[in-house]
Amino acid sequence: MSERTIVRSGEGVPATTAGTLPVRVRSRWTRILLSRDAVMFYALIAVVVYAYTQVPYFASTQTVGFLLLDVIPILLIAMPMALVIITGEIDLSVASTVGLTSAVMGVLFQAGVPIGVVLVLCLLLGTVLGAVNGFLVTALGLPSLAVTIGTLALYRGFALVVIGDNAVANFPQELTRFSTSKLGDTGIPVVMLLVLAVALVFGVLLHFTPFGRALVALGFNKEAAAFVGIRVGRAKFWLFVSTGLVSSLAGIFWTLRYSSARSDNATGIELAVIAAVLLGGVSIFGGTGSIPGVIIGVLLIGTINYTLRLARFSDVVLSIVTGALLIASVVAPSIAEWARGRLHARRTARLELQRAAAQ
Amino acid sequence: MTTPTLADDIPVLELHHASKAFGAVVALSDGTIEILPGEIHALVGENGAGKSTLIKVLAGVHRPDSGDFRLDGKPVSFGTPADSKAAGISVIYQEPTLFPDLTVAENIYIGRQPRGRGGLISRSTMRAEATKLFATLGVPIDPERIAAGLSIADQQIIEIAKAISLDARVLIMDEPTAALSGVEVERLFGVARSLRDRGAGILFISHRFDEVFGLSDRITVMRDGAFIATHTTGSVTVDAIVREMVGRDISALFPKEEAVIGDPVLSVRGLGRAGVFSDISFDVRAGEIVGLAGLVGAGRTEVARAIFGIDRYDAGSVEVNGVPLRPHDPQSAITAGLGLVPEDRRKQGLVMELSVTRNATLTLRTALARFGLISGAREHALGEDWSRRLQVKTASPDLPVATLSGGNQQKVVLAKWLATDPQVLIVDEPTRGIDIGTKAEVHRLISDLAGRGIAVLMISSELPEVLGMADRILVMREGRLTATIDRTDATAERVMFAATETLESTP
Amino acid sequence: MLVVVTATINPLFLTPQGVKDLLLNATIVVILAIGQALVIITRNVDLSVGSILGLVAFGTGTLFAVYPGIPIILVFVIGMAFGAVLGAVNGLLVTIAKVPALVITLGTLYIYRGVNNAWAGGTQYFAGDRPRAFSSLSTDTIFGFPLITLLAIAVVVGVAIVLAYTRAGRDLYAIGSDPAAARLFGIPVTRRVLGAFVASGVLAGLAAVLYASRFNAVGATTGTGLELDVVAAAVVGGVAIFGGSGTVVGAAIGALLLTTITSALTALRVDKFWQQAIVGVLIIAAISVDRLVSLNRARKLRVSEARNV
């Protein structure tokens, strides 16, 4: 646990409690090396090292390639999703946005629209779908959970309406080949460069801009944020828009990579995205979280899944792992807090005993 | 000063010399009260005098650190509100806590609904009982409607009905009339009198002297967490009570430096919000501290929120240096040079989880950025600079503000606004819940700011603070400005009367 | 209305067989929606019902395959107990870890489905593996009503009585209405919320056994995606997603309505692909109406409380 997040605004502590609480101040480096992100990083390294030495076929550039191709959609969507969850909202409709984008892409392309125009229209579509979510949440004040369960069904439904049971597969070969091409012999997909660019944009946005400062503040405390002039609704609206846009980008990649536009593409990946984001240290209650942490979270889940698959666990069993990691990542802080509370109580009791003995 | 009258009856409830401290802050040093069966007892005192803490001790919310607590002459000790309720004590807080989705009848009987055949809840019995209750109270509330949408007055009546149905022997009401209109107050008092006549002991807190004298049999005064006196209502005057409530030398504590007062900076004209306040007009000049006094619920905080753009308003305008502010847009208010130190430090003033630095620079987000990017170094330098200037006591400016004491937290809120170099600063209860030493520091800071030409609007429920700091005092009552009093003419009595009396003519 | 319109356009819709099919199709969603309503009323949600149904349905198939002579009533008991355990896991995680139910049940949705997959693998059990008496449960009728529909009605009535006429039932509304106040009041919040999740599990277990009786095959993917229909049914049936209000009768009608729409669309030869989109529209419309009503109420309150200001 990071030292920064030790105190949540103290309910139960009377407002009049005065006196500075004893807090250890650690040096900058100790703090960085013991932070939650760092611990997650060690876990990722451990898993990679284990797989590299123990799992047959893991140690190859091909593995790197497939593993990364697998996580790219999740990694992409996890970026805006992290920001949405940091502001205390959630977007469950992302996978359906991927599916609808894919379906529309297939239908438009088959209708003979030039592929360049198709791609632009797809990104535009994602933006609109995100804006619909944002409008319902911020203008009507509806809970994002309920709204995006609704649009999850709605967007997937539209995908079915648009393309039905059909699949479109004959996309230009240059594009499909590009989507899986690698950087030299490293095994790293070229598309990773695009993903890194997206991650950089969201990372900088969250950690180094006034907007990012505002997001964190409003994630912890919406009311206090409004009192320093932060436009809470507007900020959230644009986050939903960005989630839609990036989801449609992921939809384009998905379609090209599998060279198949179908209505059921990416069904259920919203769960994998949310699991990865929460595992990456973003608090479901808002406020806490970092982009590097989320990237590590995505890679960790991706690596574990891929390793298990190589170790011949069936695909479907992997959902147990994703589910368990999701629950563990939200339950662990509660357990840690409980343990810390016990420890604190014991320490206080000891101090009081000593005080009593001294008298 | 008189000691509690020892009547022939054994008090149904008595508390002697109770104390309660939260950390270093002593909220109650000598909590003493006696409630006789069949009397209405008023508890008066300034904000912060310890009335609410006393009530929470009686209600079992707080366990006193020391003191003697008796029911019917026998010592008792309550661990939870449920214990107190079981002993026949019902407490009605300022904000009633009904379940909005349940019916009125169900809200009265939740958890102990009457059961009929087969152990199932008998709705007809419940409805009949509730109807009977309302009949005895003489109020026309439909027991079958859901609680959502009921007026505060009706909600309070329902809380009273609940208390009666529980056979409460002691009924405690914390400022029950703060949010009520004249007719509603009369109805509430009718109910209180009939309860008294049936032998219940009633304790109520009020700031309105007409009510205190019109309703109560005895009055207990508290000040600074301690019992001062209990009087029989007929044998004491309002003046005497006010003197006992204020009871200290004002000018010594709050040194307002003389400042050169310039032109009006903040001008509020005809501001109104339906159901909250109306027709509010005033100016605040450069270098001037204007106090905004009044009772809790008079609409002062709401006016401040509307000026700053947190809430919408229906009528009027706000101008800074002659330029109208956009309504409902705090960011434009900030750009125009306004700052607001809100009433609730923990919920509105600060993001408790963020560091001192982050909080202090939150208002400067955009100014800190170069080419759209925030420089961490500049952010740090600025944070440290301000925490040094205001002498914020913290082990490191990187620590969450939650680790600071209340007074130091308030300094961070002030720093946040001073960093924007404001022209108008609105401070809402700037010293609430702050220890005496830091309080003086905050006062000096505010006084300094006025000295540097900032226009200050100070909302405060502490009379000495208002009297000591303000150049001019505006008084609000029930959503309207009722008086403007100059520093030279201001006395505690005049402000109190303007805040409570309907008949006070506006100068 | 919908029924009338559809019946005029397609007379086949209201034939005895058509109605019977409609009721049969609705039964399982009705039972699940009742459980969901209990949970949503406490301001929680259970997204794992589809997975619970799948797991228990496969368990039912397995039971009959392994113990061919097993009494049918025992299968019901085991199925419901299994559902109760799965619901209890949800409830314990939600109440002890104090994490939003959404996240927990999203996780268990995955886990239960994964367990189902691991257990079933490629195996599927077909109606032929089960006794005729069991399958006929869903085809037998009493006075023209399918047996399992009568069972569903009994469940609706039973749960409705518990919700409306027992203290525990009323507590659920109080908890959903204002959890903090409920705790202050001394209402056993933890126990009640846990109870709601267990009840939802039990009902999902019951629905699963009926599913095995009604449908031919049960396997690894049985019940996938059902949670959306169920949440939609409850919300469309007037159970407020913010908790505190709604009835199981409403939820049951919501389920019936959704099934009717689906059947009606088929009968009207509307593209079946529109069905899911319509579910989505219904969810969003239901919560929007909810919100607008409460906003309107709040505004009226403010103005009516306006004294002579």
Side-chain angles (χ1 to χ4, degrees), chain B residues 387-423:
Chain B
S387 47
R388 203 180 45 245
R389 276 207 244 174
L390 297 194
Q391 296 168 1
V392 177
K393 289 185 191 68
T394 170
S396 153
D398 293 333
L399 289 176
V401 282
T403 61
L404 305 188
S405 70
N408 281 297
Q409 287 176 355
Q410 191 69 311
K411 287 194 212 163
V412 177
V413 183
L414 280 166
K416 172 169 93 173
W417 290 114
L418 297 192
T420 64
D421 197 11
Q423 299 188 33

mmCIF file of all heavy atoms in Angstrom, chain B residues 387-423:
data_model
loop_
_atom_site.group_PDB
_atom_site.id
_atom_site.type_symbol
_atom_site.label_atom_id
_atom_site.label_comp_id
_atom_site.label_asym_id
_atom_site.label_seq_id
_atom_site.Cartn_x
_atom_site.Cartn_y
_atom_site.Cartn_z
ATOM 1 N N SER B 387 2.359 27.272 2.815
ATOM 2 C CA SER B 387 2.227 26.693 4.148
ATOM 3 C C SER B 387 3.215 27.354 5.111
ATOM 4 O O SER B 387 2.944 27.421 6.305
ATOM 5 C CB SER B 387 2.357 25.166 4.125
ATOM 6 O OG SER B 387 3.457 24.760 3.378
ATOM 7 N N ARG B 388 4.308 27.909 4.586
ATOM 8 C CA ARG B 388 5.216 28.636 5.465
ATOM 9 C C ARG B 388 4.614 29.994 5.841
ATOM 10 O O ARG B 388 4.610 30.390 6.992
ATOM 11 C CB ARG B 388 6.573 28.837 4.779
ATOM 12 C CG ARG B 388 7.716 29.067 5.772
ATOM 13 C CD ARG B 388 9.038 29.265 5.076
ATOM 14 N NE ARG B 388 8.955 30.151 3.953
ATOM 15 C CZ ARG B 388 9.165 29.787 2.678
ATOM 16 N NH1 ARG B 388 9.466 28.540 2.395
ATOM 17 N NH2 ARG B 388 9.066 30.660 1.697
ATOM 18 N N ARG B 389 4.058 30.670 4.838
ATOM 19 C CA ARG B 389 3.515 31.994 5.110
ATOM 20 C C ARG B 389 2.387 31.959 6.146
ATOM 21 O O ARG B 389 2.258 32.864 6.948
ATOM 22 C CB ARG B 389 2.971 32.606 3.819
ATOM 23 C CG ARG B 389 4.071 33.268 3.005
ATOM 24 C CD ARG B 389 3.506 34.369 2.171
ATOM 25 N NE ARG B 389 3.661 34.066 0.765
ATOM 26 C CZ ARG B 389 3.155 34.809 -0.213
ATOM 27 N NH1 ARG B 389 2.434 35.866 0.076
ATOM 28 N NH2 ARG B 389 3.348 34.479 -1.456
ATOM 29 N N LEU B 390 1.560 30.916 6.066
ATOM 30 C CA LEU B 390 0.445 30.840 7.018
ATOM 31 C C LEU B 390 0.805 29.977 8.224
ATOM 32 O O LEU B 390 -0.034 29.684 9.057
ATOM 33 C CB LEU B 390 -0.800 30.263 6.336
ATOM 34 C CG LEU B 390 -1.374 31.074 5.191
ATOM 35 C CD1 LEU B 390 -2.770 30.587 4.846
ATOM 36 C CD2 LEU B 390 -1.428 32.540 5.532
ATOM 37 N N GLN B 391 2.062 29.573 8.309
ATOM 38 C CA GLN B 391 2.538 28.755 9.422
ATOM 39 C C GLN B 391 1.671 27.514 9.641
ATOM 40 O O GLN B 391 1.210 27.247 10.747
ATOM 41 C CB GLN B 391 2.602 29.595 10.699
ATOM 42 C CG GLN B 391 3.617 30.714 10.565
ATOM 43 C CD GLN B 391 3.504 31.738 11.686
ATOM 44 O OE1 GLN B 391 2.680 31.598 12.579
ATOM 45 N NE2 GLN B 391 4.327 32.752 11.638
ATOM 46 N N VAL B 392 1.441 26.783 8.557
ATOM 47 C CA VAL B 392 0.710 25.518 8.670
ATOM 48 C C VAL B 392 1.634 24.510 9.345
ATOM 49 O O VAL B 392 2.752 24.293 8.893
ATOM 50 C CB VAL B 392 0.297 24.990 7.282
ATOM 51 C CG1 VAL B 392 -0.402 23.641 7.403
ATOM 52 C CG2 VAL B 392 -0.611 25.989 6.594
ATOM 53 N N LYS B 393 1.155 23.920 10.423
ATOM 54 C CA LYS B 393 1.989 22.951 11.120
ATOM 55 C C LYS B 393 1.760 21.557 10.548
ATOM 56 O O LYS B 393 0.749 20.915 10.784
ATOM 57 C CB LYS B 393 1.653 22.962 12.615
ATOM 58 C CG LYS B 393 2.128 24.231 13.302
ATOM 59 C CD LYS B 393 1.903 24.200 14.788
ATOM 60 C CE LYS B 393 2.143 25.571 15.384
ATOM 61 N NZ LYS B 393 1.101 26.550 14.940
ATOM 62 N N THR B 394 2.741 21.093 9.765
ATOM 63 C CA THR B 394 2.668 19.738 9.213
ATOM 64 C C THR B 394 4.076 19.191 9.071
ATOM 65 O O THR B 394 5.029 19.936 8.846
ATOM 66 C CB THR B 394 1.963 19.729 7.834
ATOM 67 O OG1 THR B 394 2.124 18.449 7.245
ATOM 68 C CG2 THR B 394 2.546 20.781 6.906
ATOM 69 N N ALA B 395 4.198 17.859 9.237
ATOM 70 C CA ALA B 395 5.509 17.238 9.138
ATOM 71 C C ALA B 395 6.070 17.396 7.726
ATOM 72 O O ALA B 395 7.264 17.547 7.532
ATOM 73 C CB ALA B 395 5.415 15.769 9.515
ATOM 74 N N SER B 396 5.182 17.376 6.730
ATOM 75 C CA SER B 396 5.601 17.550 5.349
ATOM 76 C C SER B 396 4.408 18.006 4.530
ATOM 77 O O SER B 396 3.301 17.511 4.735
ATOM 78 C CB SER B 396 6.141 16.217 4.802
ATOM 79 O OG SER B 396 5.960 16.179 3.405
ATOM 80 N N PRO B 397 4.617 18.931 3.594
ATOM 81 C CA PRO B 397 3.484 19.371 2.769
ATOM 82 C C PRO B 397 2.989 18.284 1.823
ATOM 83 O O PRO B 397 1.988 18.468 1.148
ATOM 84 C CB PRO B 397 4.031 20.559 1.984
ATOM 85 C CG PRO B 397 5.457 20.679 2.295
ATOM 86 C CD PRO B 397 5.850 19.676 3.316
ATOM 87 N N ASP B 398 3.677 17.120 1.788
ATOM 88 C CA ASP B 398 3.212 16.014 0.947
ATOM 89 C C ASP B 398 2.204 15.126 1.664
ATOM 90 O O ASP B 398 1.647 14.216 1.077
ATOM 91 C CB ASP B 398 4.392 15.135 0.520
ATOM 92 C CG ASP B 398 5.311 15.887 -0.419
ATOM 93 O OD1 ASP B 398 4.814 16.804 -1.102
ATOM 94 O OD2 ASP B 398 6.508 15.568 -0.453
ATOM 95 N N LEU B 399 1.992 15.394 2.964
ATOM 96 C CA LEU B 399 1.059 14.554 3.712
ATOM 97 C C LEU B 399 -0.380 14.966 3.418
ATOM 98 O O LEU B 399 -0.658 16.121 3.139
ATOM 99 C CB LEU B 399 1.330 14.700 5.207
ATOM 100 C CG LEU B 399 2.623 14.061 5.704
ATOM 101 C CD1 LEU B 399 2.826 14.356 7.175
ATOM 102 C CD2 LEU B 399 2.579 12.564 5.468
ATOM 103 N N PRO B 400 -1.298 14.009 3.494
ATOM 104 C CA PRO B 400 -2.719 14.349 3.297
ATOM 105 C C PRO B 400 -3.176 15.356 4.355
ATOM 106 O O PRO B 400 -2.756 15.261 5.514
ATOM 107 C CB PRO B 400 -3.443 13.022 3.499
ATOM 108 C CG PRO B 400 -2.417 11.966 3.472
ATOM 109 C CD PRO B 400 -1.096 12.577 3.771
ATOM 110 N N VAL B 401 -4.041 16.300 3.973
ATOM 111 C CA VAL B 401 -4.497 17.285 4.946
ATOM 112 C C VAL B 401 -5.285 16.644 6.076
ATOM 113 O O VAL B 401 -5.436 17.242 7.133
ATOM 114 C CB VAL B 401 -5.382 18.391 4.321
ATOM 115 C CG1 VAL B 401 -4.562 19.414 3.606
ATOM 116 C CG2 VAL B 401 -6.443 17.814 3.443
ATOM 117 N N ALA B 402 -5.794 15.419 5.849
ATOM 118 C CA ALA B 402 -6.544 14.746 6.906
ATOM 119 C C ALA B 402 -5.698 14.562 8.161
ATOM 120 O O ALA B 402 -6.230 14.399 9.252
ATOM 121 C CB ALA B 402 -7.045 13.385 6.417
ATOM 122 N N THR B 403 -4.350 14.593 7.999
ATOM 123 C CA THR B 403 -3.499 14.368 9.172
ATOM 124 C C THR B 403 -3.292 15.644 9.987
ATOM 125 O O THR B 403 -2.664 15.605 11.039
ATOM 126 C CB THR B 403 -2.114 13.837 8.750
ATOM 127 O OG1 THR B 403 -1.494 14.822 7.908
ATOM 128 C CG2 THR B 403 -2.211 12.538 7.991
ATOM 129 N N LEU B 404 -3.803 16.776 9.505
ATOM 130 C CA LEU B 404 -3.598 18.034 10.234
ATOM 131 C C LEU B 404 -4.717 18.268 11.235
ATOM 132 O O LEU B 404 -5.789 17.703 11.144
ATOM 133 C CB LEU B 404 -3.570 19.218 9.259
ATOM 134 C CG LEU B 404 -2.591 19.187 8.097
ATOM 135 C CD1 LEU B 404 -2.593 20.521 7.389
ATOM 136 C CD2 LEU B 404 -1.206 18.844 8.578
ATOM 137 N N SER B 405 -4.448 19.184 12.192
ATOM 138 C CA SER B 405 -5.501 19.575 13.127
ATOM 139 C C SER B 405 -6.472 20.503 12.412
ATOM 140 O O SER B 405 -6.167 21.074 11.364
ATOM 141 C CB SER B 405 -4.896 20.284 14.316
ATOM 142 O OG SER B 405 -4.406 21.540 13.909
ATOM 143 N N GLY B 406 -7.654 20.676 12.996
ATOM 144 C CA GLY B 406 -8.691 21.494 12.384
ATOM 145 C C GLY B 406 -8.219 22.895 12.041
ATOM 146 O O GLY B 406 -8.471 23.408 10.948
ATOM 147 N N GLY B 407 -7.504 23.522 12.957
ATOM 148 C CA GLY B 407 -7.034 24.880 12.732
ATOM 149 C C GLY B 407 -6.061 24.952 11.565
ATOM 150 O O GLY B 407 -6.134 25.854 10.726
ATOM 151 N N ASN B 408 -5.172 23.990 11.497
ATOM 152 C CA ASN B 408 -4.200 23.980 10.399
ATOM 153 C C ASN B 408 -4.865 23.657 9.070
ATOM 154 O O ASN B 408 -4.462 24.169 8.026
ATOM 155 C CB ASN B 408 -3.066 22.998 10.699
ATOM 156 C CG ASN B 408 -2.063 23.598 11.666
ATOM 157 O OD1 ASN B 408 -1.425 24.595 11.366
ATOM 158 N ND2 ASN B 408 -1.974 23.025 12.863
ATOM 159 N N GLN B 409 -5.904 22.817 9.126
ATOM 160 C CA GLN B 409 -6.666 22.564 7.906
ATOM 161 C C GLN B 409 -7.286 23.861 7.398
ATOM 162 O O GLN B 409 -7.254 24.157 6.212
ATOM 163 C CB GLN B 409 -7.765 21.539 8.178
ATOM 164 C CG GLN B 409 -7.243 20.124 8.359
ATOM 165 C CD GLN B 409 -8.348 19.152 8.714
ATOM 166 O OE1 GLN B 409 -9.491 19.544 8.911
ATOM 167 N NE2 GLN B 409 -7.990 17.882 8.837
ATOM 168 N N GLN B 410 -7.832 24.639 8.327
ATOM 169 C CA GLN B 410 -8.470 25.882 7.909
ATOM 170 C C GLN B 410 -7.442 26.824 7.291
ATOM 171 O O GLN B 410 -7.743 27.551 6.344
ATOM 172 C CB GLN B 410 -9.172 26.543 9.108
ATOM 173 C CG GLN B 410 -10.078 27.701 8.739
ATOM 174 C CD GLN B 410 -11.319 27.246 7.972
ATOM 175 O OE1 GLN B 410 -11.223 26.485 7.013
ATOM 176 N NE2 GLN B 410 -12.486 27.706 8.380
ATOM 177 N N LYS B 411 -6.216 26.795 7.800
ATOM 178 C CA LYS B 411 -5.175 27.633 7.206
ATOM 179 C C LYS B 411 -4.899 27.204 5.762
ATOM 180 O O LYS B 411 -4.620 28.038 4.909
ATOM 181 C CB LYS B 411 -3.883 27.530 8.028
ATOM 182 C CG LYS B 411 -3.953 28.248 9.364
ATOM 183 C CD LYS B 411 -2.560 28.377 9.919
ATOM 184 C CE LYS B 411 -2.547 28.337 11.414
ATOM 185 N NZ LYS B 411 -1.184 28.065 11.919
ATOM 186 N N VAL B 412 -4.966 25.899 5.510
ATOM 187 C CA VAL B 412 -4.745 25.427 4.136
ATOM 188 C C VAL B 412 -5.861 25.948 3.227
ATOM 189 O O VAL B 412 -5.609 26.370 2.096
ATOM 190 C CB VAL B 412 -4.667 23.884 4.083
ATOM 191 C CG1 VAL B 412 -4.504 23.409 2.640
ATOM 192 C CG2 VAL B 412 -3.515 23.383 4.931
ATOM 193 N N VAL B 413 -7.100 25.932 3.737
ATOM 194 C CA VAL B 413 -8.208 26.468 2.934
ATOM 195 C C VAL B 413 -7.959 27.942 2.624
ATOM 196 O O VAL B 413 -8.112 28.393 1.486
ATOM 197 C CB VAL B 413 -9.557 26.322 3.669
ATOM 198 C CG1 VAL B 413 -10.689 26.818 2.779
ATOM 199 C CG2 VAL B 413 -9.809 24.883 4.052
ATOM 200 N N LEU B 414 -7.547 28.689 3.645
ATOM 201 C CA LEU B 414 -7.250 30.107 3.424
ATOM 202 C C LEU B 414 -6.118 30.269 2.409
ATOM 203 O O LEU B 414 -6.196 31.092 1.497
ATOM 204 C CB LEU B 414 -6.881 30.779 4.746
ATOM 205 C CG LEU B 414 -8.073 31.153 5.633
ATOM 206 C CD1 LEU B 414 -7.628 31.489 7.038
ATOM 207 C CD2 LEU B 414 -8.847 32.317 5.026
ATOM 208 N N ALA B 415 -5.080 29.447 2.548
ATOM 209 C CA ALA B 415 -3.930 29.532 1.642
ATOM 210 C C ALA B 415 -4.370 29.337 0.205
ATOM 211 O O ALA B 415 -3.956 30.059 -0.706
ATOM 212 C CB ALA B 415 -2.900 28.468 2.014
ATOM 213 N N LYS B 416 -5.265 28.368 0.003
ATOM 214 C CA LYS B 416 -5.774 28.050 -1.316
ATOM 215 C C LYS B 416 -6.380 29.288 -1.968
ATOM 216 O O LYS B 416 -6.195 29.522 -3.168
ATOM 217 C CB LYS B 416 -6.822 26.944 -1.136
ATOM 218 C CG LYS B 416 -7.604 26.578 -2.313
ATOM 219 C CD LYS B 416 -8.369 25.302 -2.025
ATOM 220 C CE LYS B 416 -9.770 25.602 -1.496
ATOM 221 N NZ LYS B 416 -10.570 24.383 -1.373
ATOM 222 N N TRP B 417 -7.073 30.090 -1.167
ATOM 223 C CA TRP B 417 -7.720 31.271 -1.742
ATOM 224 C C TRP B 417 -6.772 32.451 -1.827
ATOM 225 O O TRP B 417 -6.805 33.226 -2.771
ATOM 226 C CB TRP B 417 -8.984 31.632 -0.970
ATOM 227 C CG TRP B 417 -10.037 30.605 -1.229
ATOM 228 C CD1 TRP B 417 -10.563 29.733 -0.348
ATOM 229 C CD2 TRP B 417 -10.628 30.307 -2.491
ATOM 230 N NE1 TRP B 417 -11.467 28.903 -0.972
ATOM 231 C CE2 TRP B 417 -11.515 29.234 -2.287
ATOM 232 C CE3 TRP B 417 -10.502 30.827 -3.787
ATOM 233 C CZ2 TRP B 417 -12.270 28.680 -3.320
ATOM 234 C CZ3 TRP B 417 -11.252 30.291 -4.800
ATOM 235 C CH2 TRP B 417 -12.117 29.222 -4.564
ATOM 236 N N LEU B 418 -5.901 32.586 -0.826
ATOM 237 C CA LEU B 418 -4.947 33.707 -0.869
ATOM 238 C C LEU B 418 -4.039 33.567 -2.082
ATOM 239 O O LEU B 418 -3.630 34.557 -2.685
ATOM 240 C CB LEU B 418 -4.124 33.750 0.412
ATOM 241 C CG LEU B 418 -4.964 33.991 1.661
ATOM 242 C CD1 LEU B 418 -4.078 34.303 2.853
ATOM 243 C CD2 LEU B 418 -5.957 35.116 1.438
ATOM 244 N N ALA B 419 -3.742 32.300 -2.452
ATOM 245 C CA ALA B 419 -2.872 32.075 -3.607
ATOM 246 C C ALA B 419 -3.469 32.632 -4.893
ATOM 247 O O ALA B 419 -2.752 32.935 -5.841
ATOM 248 C CB ALA B 419 -2.613 30.572 -3.768
ATOM 249 N N THR B 420 -4.813 32.778 -4.938
ATOM 250 C CA THR B 420 -5.433 33.308 -6.151
ATOM 251 C C THR B 420 -5.420 34.830 -6.160
ATOM 252 O O THR B 420 -5.897 35.441 -7.117
ATOM 253 C CB THR B 420 -6.899 32.864 -6.283
ATOM 254 O OG1 THR B 420 -7.637 33.420 -5.186
ATOM 255 C CG2 THR B 420 -7.039 31.368 -6.271
ATOM 256 N N ASP B 421 -4.909 35.442 -5.082
ATOM 257 C CA ASP B 421 -4.865 36.892 -4.982
ATOM 258 C C ASP B 421 -6.261 37.497 -5.190
ATOM 259 O O ASP B 421 -6.493 38.258 -6.130
ATOM 260 C CB ASP B 421 -3.892 37.441 -6.056
ATOM 261 C CG ASP B 421 -3.501 38.878 -5.722
ATOM 262 O OD1 ASP B 421 -3.812 39.324 -4.606
ATOM 263 O OD2 ASP B 421 -2.915 39.529 -6.591
ATOM 264 N N PRO B 422 -7.191 37.142 -4.286
ATOM 265 C CA PRO B 422 -8.587 37.534 -4.509
ATOM 266 C C PRO B 422 -8.855 39.005 -4.161
ATOM 267 O O PRO B 422 -8.062 39.628 -3.462
ATOM 268 C CB PRO B 422 -9.344 36.631 -3.542
ATOM 269 C CG PRO B 422 -8.389 36.448 -2.408
ATOM 270 C CD PRO B 422 -7.013 36.434 -3.004
ATOM 271 N N GLN B 423 -9.947 39.526 -4.685
ATOM 272 C CA GLN B 423 -10.382 40.870 -4.300
ATOM 273 C C GLN B 423 -11.497 40.815 -3.267
ATOM 274 O O GLN B 423 -11.688 41.743 -2.500
ATOM 275 C CB GLN B 423 -10.900 41.616 -5.530
ATOM 276 C CG GLN B 423 -9.843 41.772 -6.585
ATOM 277 C CD GLN B 423 -10.334 42.662 -7.686
ATOM 278 O OE1 GLN B 423 -11.095 43.580 -7.440
ATOM 279 N NE2 GLN B 423 -9.902 42.405 -8.883
#
